[in-house]
Amino acid sequence: MEPEKLEEVQAWFQRAANDLRGADIDLGASPPLVEDALFHCQQVVEKALKGYLTAHDRPFRKTHDLDELSRASEAIDASLSNVLEPARYLTVFAWEFRYPGGRETPPVDEARQALELARQVVDSLLRRLPEITWPSK
C-alpha cells in the first residue's frame, strides 16, 4: 500500500479506536451512558468500513448507512457478510438518540452486545488488512 493511502486508512482506524474507547468509557460510567455508547458503536463500524474501503480504492459517499458500506465491503470480500450482517442494525444509532423525542433507551446489555459486535467487525477487517495496526491508547 502506498504511504499516503496507508496513512489515510490508519487514520480511519484511529478514529474507530477512539469511538471504541468512548463506548467503553460510556458503559463504565455510573450509571452507564447507553445512548452514547450505542452511538459510538455505530461510529466504530462506520469508520472501520470506510477505512477498509479506502484501502481497496473504493469510493463511498458521505453516509452513516452501515448497510450501504457493508454491501460495498462485501463486494470486495463476500466472507465479510458473516460479521457485517448482524452489524447493519447499528445504523439507526447514528441519529436515534442524538436529539430529544427518540425511542426509549435500550437496556445496557444491548449496548454491551453492540460493543462486542463492533469489536468483531474491526477484528475481521484488520485481519484482511495486515499492514494496518490497531492504534494503542
Side-chain angles (χ1 to χ4, degrees):
M1 192 179 302
E2 295 293 321
E4 293 90 20
K5 187 193 318 183
L6 181 63
E7 187 176 322
E8 184 179 359
V9 172
Q10 191 68 53
W12 279 112
F13 279 93
Q14 177 63 60
R15 285 178 174 77
N18 292 346
D19 278 303
L20 196 62
R21 183 169 177 251
D24 274 329
I25 291 168
D26 288 340
L27 289 176
S30 183
L33 301 169
V34 173
E35 292 120 329
D36 285 348
L38 287 166
F39 168 76
H40 285 298
C41 290
Q42 185 281 336
Q43 289 288 289
V44 169
V45 175
E46 177 185 327
K47 291 169 186 173
L49 286 170
K50 288 177 176 179
Y52 182 77
L53 292 169
T54 299
H56 291 280
D57 296 318
R58 299 292 174 96
F60 50 86
R61 67 186 187 95
K62 199 173 198 175
T63 184
H64 299 298
D65 187 346
L66 299 182
D67 186 51
E68 180 179 326
L69 297 169
S70 293
R71 283 192 317 268
S73 299
E74 291 163 354
I76 299 164
D77 183 342
S79 71
L80 281 169
S81 66
N82 292 336
V83 72
L84 296 181
E85 184 61 38
R88 284 169 157 84
Y89 91 96
L90 295 173
T91 293
V92 358
F93 299 124
W95 65 82
E96 183 75 27
F97 301 114
R98 303 318 287 171
Y99 305 99
R103 67 181 176 123
E104 187 177 314
T105 301
V108 71
D109 285 343
E110 183 175 341
R112 287 191 177 108
Q113 290 170 354
L115 182 55
E116 180 55 32
L117 188 56
R119 284 189 174 110
Q120 290 171 10
V121 168
V122 168
D123 289 345
S124 292
L125 296 175
L126 287 174
R127 278 196 303 276
R128 291 162 172 84
L129 298 172
E131 58 273 68
I132 303 302
T133 57
W134 184 244
S136 58
K137 298 177 186 181

